[in-house]
Amino acid sequence: MAPEVPRGHSPSAPGEFEIIRDFFQRQSADADVLLGIGDDAALLQVSGSIAVATDTLVAGVHFLTGMSPARLAQRALAVNLSDMAAMGAQPRWFTLALTLPNADVDWLSAFSMSLHASAGEYQMTLVGGDLTRGPLTITLQLIGTVPAELALRRDGARSGDLVFVTGTVGDAAGGLRLLQQQVECDDRASANELVDRFECPTPRVSAGIALRGIASAAIDISDGLSADLARLCAASGCGARVDMAKLPISDALQACFGKDASIEMAMTGGDDYELLFTAAPAERERVITALSLLDVTAECIGECIAGNAVNIHNNGRYISDAKPGYTHF
Ligand code: ADP
Ligand code: MG
């Protein structure tokens, strides 16, 4: 079917093919891209198994409409890279399905430059996509490689395994609240740090790869620690006990929101894109060592237990069962 071509209001606005050529088509140094942008499909050379993931960002749902195109590109790639990280996959290629209200050259230029720059940081190549007119929506599909037997799946956790989380949690939820102006924070440096964490999360790609053969299960935190832990547990057929006194909470979050609200956001706030993973107790040292080589911190926040409940404790005392995080429906 002929596509709806995004054309701006100006008569000189570029058409679909100019947009693809001028903003998205680039020479690739990747010898495994046998055929990139321009044909009906890309041809990629692979040996072994691939990991495939896709994520959509809709204006007003996944990002606030005022977000700059450069940050938007970075965020779109980061949330998708996070899925690769959570599988322990090496990201390689991606496609971009872009829906635009109009062909705004300045917007396209800023968006595409940032997208190519972020992709370059991870040695990723854009190999295809689609372009349509409509409300601003960005869908990326990522393809990565990982030996199937080493992939970090959600279903490998066993009762007795330790539960770890990388980095700090709750920051993105804090950043979102600041952006939505639900709260004021006089500490500008801390506030900016939290907003950055929401808009441009750091996908834990090398951490995921380093955890191959060490972690028993993994998931990335997109909907909130308790919700995503519940998913990992459901897939693995176990429960978990989390001690909220052990949650890694940043100084910035505490400075802006205080301790209690920080803990609440760390448990239930989404969009952190940290890795939540499990490992047998005997692997504790290997976990810490493998990640510290990458300058990534990991905190042991609890353990897997028999049953299917996710229990929250505070310094060993039972508080409640976990509340669900964000869902769209
Ligand atoms: P078709 O009609 O066969 O689907 P298109 O006209 O949609 O082809 O796309 C032409 C080529 O440009 C394809 O190789 C496609 O992958 C690529 N492409 C389209 N949109 C984008 C985009 N936003 N980013 C990168 N490549 C794109
Ligand atoms: Mg198409």
Side-chain angles (χ1 to χ4, degrees):
M1 204 175 90
E4 270 271 349
V5 180
R7 284 187 194 282
H9 301 296
S10 120
S12 62
E16 184 186 10
F17 297 104
E18 284 90 7
I19 293 174
I20 296 166
R21 184 195 62 207
D22 295 347
F23 298 106
F24 297 111
Q25 206 160 14
R26 293 277 166 99
Q27 273 300 332
S28 167
D30 185 342
D32 290 333
V33 179
L34 305 178
L35 191 59
I37 291 172
D39 213 308
D40 295 310
L43 290 176
L44 308 170
Q45 180 131 289
V46 284
S47 64
S49 47
I50 60 168
V52 182
T54 189
D55 247 318
T56 293
L57 270 65
V58 179
V61 178
H62 301 93
F63 58 92
L64 307 178
T65 43
M67 195 165 160
S68 80
R71 288 205 148 200
L72 202 46
Q74 217 180 324
R75 178 171 170 78
L77 200 60
V79 304
N80 277 279
L81 280 166
S82 181
D83 284 325
M84 291 289 124
M87 293 307 290
Q90 173 70 57
R92 297 287 308 273
W93 310 291
F94 69 111
T95 62
L96 163 70
L98 193 56
T99 304
L100 297 174
N102 53 51
D104 178 335
V105 169
D106 292 336
W107 191 96
L108 278 162
S109 175
F111 178 85
S112 61
M113 268 166 47
S114 168
L115 187 72
H116 288 299
S118 291
E121 282 177 38
Y122 293 89
Q123 289 87 47
M124 294 204 72
T125 307
L126 177 62
V127 295
D130 197 24
L131 198 58
T132 45
R133 188 210 283 270
L136 179 58
T137 305
I138 300 158
T139 299
L140 262 58
Q141 180 167 58
L142 265 66
I143 303 167
T145 52
V146 59
E149 70 281 9
L150 294 179
L152 307 180
R153 301 162 51 131
R154 294 182 182 181
D155 60 4
R158 296 294 170 260
S159 174
D161 282 358
L162 304 176
V163 178
F164 294 88
V165 65
T166 58
T168 57
V169 275
D171 294 335
L176 179 60
R177 284 194 200 178
L178 291 165
L179 281 171
Q180 291 172 330
Q181 293 171 333
Q182 292 176 9
V183 277
E184 288 281 321
C185 177
D186 294 334
D187 181 344
R188 290 317 305 162
S190 294
N192 288 340
E193 196 179 314
L194 299 179
V195 168
D196 281 352
R197 285 270 310 193
F198 173 73
E199 291 193 337
C200 302
T202 306
R204 300 296 188 183
V205 174
S206 43
I209 293 169
L211 289 169
R212 289 178 183 173
I214 301 177
S216 53
I219 189 168
D220 63 322
I221 301 181
S222 55
D223 293 331
L225 193 154
S226 64
D228 290 318
L229 180 57
R231 287 191 188 136
L232 183 150
C233 286
S236 293
C238 65
R241 177 166 37 222
V242 170
D243 197 330
M244 60 193 214
K246 293 183 179 162
L247 293 175
I249 290 172
S250 71
D251 293 341
L253 191 64
Q254 287 230 35
C256 289
F257 293 92
K259 191 162 181 231
D260 290 347
S262 295
I263 291 174
E264 170 73 21
M265 283 185 268
M267 275 315 292
T268 59
D271 295 303
D272 283 318
Y273 299 101
E274 293 293 351
L275 291 184
L276 181 66
F277 62 97
T278 58
E283 302 287 0
R284 184 195 283 264
E285 283 312 310
R286 273 177 84 203
V287 166
I288 304 298
T289 310
L291 297 186
S292 67
L293 287 173
L294 303 168
D295 264 338
V296 174
T297 55
E299 203 67 52
C300 177
I301 59 168
E303 60 188 344
C304 297
I305 57 176
N308 53 19
V310 176
N311 298 325
I312 314 298
H313 288 237
N314 189 6
N315 282 317
R317 194 167 51 88
Y318 172 82
I319 302 289
S320 67
D321 280 5
K323 289 191 210 117
Y326 186 81
T327 58
H328 287 277
F329 299 101

